[in-house]
Amino acid sequence: MEYVLTTDRLCKQYKHFKALNQLTMHVPKGAIYGFIGKNGAGKTTLIRLICGLQEPTSGEYSLYGEKNSGKGIGKMRRRMGSIVETPSIYLDMTARENLQEQYRILGLPSDRGIDDLLRLVGLADTGKKKAKNFSLGMRQRLGIAVALAGSPDFLVLDEPINGMDPQGIVEIRELILKLNQEQQITFLISSHILDELSRLATHYGFIDNGRLLREISAEELEAACRKCIRLTVTDMKAFIRVLDGMGLEYNVCSDREADVFGEAEITALVVALAEAGCRVTALHERDESLESYYISLVGGGRHE
Ligand code: ATP
């Protein structure tokens, strides 16, 4: 798999406090990577490091395969746009003036492309209206347009929907999906609310106390959150034979445990297993919603 960003045992220490602790993560090309963690987990710190705003204490990261210590890292960083904490926009300027200013800062030769950018983020009709009179959602979309000047193919957004109303959230979500699908832009998006990203993300990284607890694809997460019955059995081979015979969907977790999905008729299943010489020694229903999956992960991942 091709990765836009990888980090390898990245650490950022402030005196004795480890804001990032041996963090290893992988953002595949074309992904919308949801970087999930509570307030203070270390999300912004990671983003500040990869944007070159701070140096790691130890460990390393690569952008498009170029290590942070390598000569070409500056060039790779120009392929990246970002919004760290709040969008970098001038409130006394219109949307167009903000983009003109960004073009000037980047040294882009002409204003060509500004109209397209304004259309892309849905701000083509804002005319003389200054950014200070924009809604939060409009400001964030303008921030994204500013981050898109220079045509990056990797966008890093730090809590882009924080504090936004439902309408603003929908607008940002749709814009991110559009940029990902139509312009093949890879995203790294941090959030402390898993649910907000669950309709967008193709991959997730869960961070807590500076450590990456788990990396998981959206499909894997969905499977992990499906309703199922966890059975503990005495004979896994017989279990597999019976389940295959009954046409039931299952997933073997260990040599004693398996999850059964769908609407299984429990009595018929247990009887069929008993007839095949396989006893069920424990059985419980599992119904992990995304949020409880996250809580069980964070709760189970305590450390020093
Ligand atoms: P939030 O959503 O609240 O911004 P976050 O996951 O982005 O949370 P960070 O901003 O990365 O968290 O902060 C991680 C930890 O590092 C926090 O406990 C914070 O107080 C600490 N921290 C960040 N910058 C510094 C600094 N310059 N000096 C000391 N501690 C810091």
Side-chain angles (χ1 to χ4, degrees):
M1 194 178 297
E2 205 178 326
Y3 295 104
V4 169
L5 167 72
T6 57
T7 72
D8 183 18
R9 286 164 289 167
L10 206 55
C11 294
K12 180 68 190 177
Q13 194 153 341
Y14 299 109
K15 294 203 174 126
H16 299 297
F17 178 74
K18 290 177 180 166
L20 291 184
N21 191 356
Q22 304 269 333
L23 187 124
T24 297
M25 67 189 278
H26 312 79
V27 179
K29 188 166 185 280
I32 299 179
Y33 188 103
F35 191 37
I36 317 280
K38 292 184 292 204
N39 290 335
K43 304 180 296 296
T44 307
T45 303
L46 182 274
I47 290 173
R48 292 179 68 81
L49 291 191
I50 62 169
C51 290
L53 300 170
Q54 280 177 308
E55 287 296 315
T57 310
S58 63
E60 58 183 17
Y61 62 90
S62 300
L63 277 173
Y64 300 95
E66 182 73 31
K67 286 194 176 149
N68 58 306
S69 51
K71 279 200 191 100
I73 191 69
K75 193 170 162 211
M76 294 309 167
R77 216 174 259 128
R78 282 195 286 281
R79 293 177 63 177
M80 182 175 142
S82 61
I83 301 184
V84 186
E85 283 153 320
T86 44
S88 324
I89 56 173
Y90 299 97
L91 295 177
D92 265 329
M93 290 186 185
T94 64
R96 176 177 298 279
E97 286 163 353
N98 263 285
L99 282 169
Q100 284 168 335
E101 183 58 16
Q102 184 65 8
Y103 269 50
R104 199 188 56 75
I105 291 168
L106 293 177
L108 297 176
S110 83
D111 283 0
R112 256 195 317 151
I114 288 186
D115 285 327
D116 288 341
L117 265 183
L118 287 172
R119 257 196 306 277
L120 191 64
V121 299
L123 293 175
D125 300 326
T126 51
K128 293 198 171 119
K129 196 171 187 172
K130 293 192 169 154
K132 65 180 170 200
N133 298 319
F134 284 8
S135 69
L136 257 184
M138 289 166 79
R139 286 185 198 184
Q140 194 63 265
R141 281 185 282 135
L142 178 55
I144 291 176
V146 169
L148 284 171
S151 311
D153 46 21
F154 179 34
L155 265 196
V156 178
L157 307 178
D158 190 14
E159 300 265 3
I161 33 197
N162 211 2
M164 231 169 250
D165 60 18
Q167 175 63 25
I169 292 177
V170 171
E171 287 167 7
I172 297 297
R173 201 189 286 143
E174 284 176 356
L175 177 59
I176 291 170
L177 275 175
K178 183 161 117 182
L179 292 170
N180 177 253
Q181 284 161 12
E182 292 175 13
Q183 319 246 339
Q184 284 75 48
I185 293 178
T186 304
F187 280 87
L188 170 65
I189 306 174
S190 79
S191 178
H192 61 284
I193 304 168
L194 174 58
D195 193 47
E196 278 179 359
L197 293 185
S198 65
R199 269 160 274 182
L200 275 183
T202 58
H203 295 77
Y204 296 92
F206 294 95
I207 181 176
D208 191 41
N209 288 342
R211 282 183 194 255
L212 199 79
L213 298 179
R214 189 166 300 171
E215 255 184 343
I216 188 168
S217 72
E219 286 99 60
E220 287 168 329
L221 182 63
E222 204 178 303
C225 293
R226 277 170 68 191
K227 207 168 178 168
C228 63
I229 297 160
R230 168 75 50 98
L231 296 178
T232 309
V233 296
T234 54
D235 183 344
M236 191 50 77
K237 279 192 182 140
F239 171 88
I240 291 169
R241 255 194 335 270
V242 171
L243 272 279
D244 285 344
M246 293 175 82
L248 290 172
E249 193 187 341
Y250 61 93
N251 181 37
V252 176
C253 311
S254 68
D255 57 353
R256 302 286 305 275
E257 287 184 320
D259 290 334
V260 180
F261 298 94
E263 295 298 305
E265 216 280 88
I266 301 299
T267 312
L269 177 60
V270 173
V271 168
L273 286 171
E275 280 169 0
C278 172
R279 282 187 302 118
V280 176
T281 55
L283 177 154
H284 65 270
E285 195 177 64
R286 284 157 50 85
D287 179 14
E288 267 190 311
S289 71
L290 289 181
E291 214 57 44
S292 67
Y293 174 86
Y294 171 38
I295 289 163
S296 67
L297 195 63
V298 174
R302 288 269 154 247
H303 42 81
E304 76 275 10

